[in-house]
Amino acid sequence: QVQLVESGGALVQPGGSLRLSCAASGFTLGEYAIGWFRQAPGKEREGVACVSATDGSASYGDSVTGRFTISRDDAKNTLYLQMDDLRPEDTAIYYCGARVPMFKVCVLFDEFYDYWGQGTPVTISS
């Protein structure tokens, strides 16, 4: 069955960097549109970054463009999120999600994703 397991969340000081991982099992990551989402306390889940299965193109939310980079290692069947220049407002639970395979293009709206990991917490604080 499809399974996603996030890891790498931590407490980091503002301006620091962190890399999150999402290990996929039960399916071939490169054949699915997949993305990173986050949910801060008291807020709705928002799209951070995603990568399409069609051509590997990536999309980013406005608040992370230029600071975060999404990548995929097909050999390891793992999705990554490199986060640089972290800010307190980046504090959230980070989730990876995958669309069903018939939809190859990624979007930054969580209602279009069907498979989810359990999340990994990221806290940005001095």
Side-chain angles (χ1 to χ4, degrees):
Q1 82 246 28
V2 172
Q3 189 172 12
L4 299 167
V5 179
E6 303 94 334
S7 62
L11 169 63
V12 178
Q13 291 188 342
S17 297
L18 197 62
R19 188 177 81 158
L20 305 182
S21 300
C22 173
S25 60
F27 68 106
T28 301
L29 192 65
E31 297 177 356
Y32 286 60
I34 191 163
W36 286 99
F37 296 78
R38 67 186 182 186
Q39 187 166 22
K43 295 187 177 181
E44 294 186 352
R45 189 158 52 185
E46 67 167 330
V48 175
C50 67
V51 59
S52 293
T54 49
D55 57 1
S57 60
S59 297
Y60 294 91
D62 290 343
S63 62
V64 306
T65 298
R67 301 188 298 121
F68 291 10
T69 304
I70 190 171
S71 62
R72 194 182 69 205
D73 186 331
D74 291 343
K76 294 182 178 181
N77 220 34
T78 300
L79 183 73
Y80 299 101
L81 184 68
Q82 176 66 40
M83 306 187 294
D84 298 317
D85 188 24
L86 285 161
R87 305 167 181 171
E89 54 264 38
D90 295 318
T91 295
I93 305 290
Y94 284 71
Y95 301 88
C96 62
R99 302 191 73 180
V100 292
M102 67 178 293
F103 299 114
K104 299 293 186 184
V105 177
C106 79
V107 292
L108 291 174
F109 302 100
D110 62 348
E111 61 263 37
F112 293 103
Y113 288 72
D114 301 275
Y115 306 110
W116 293 96
Q118 82 290 347
T120 186
V122 172
T123 302
I124 311 304
S125 175
S126 55

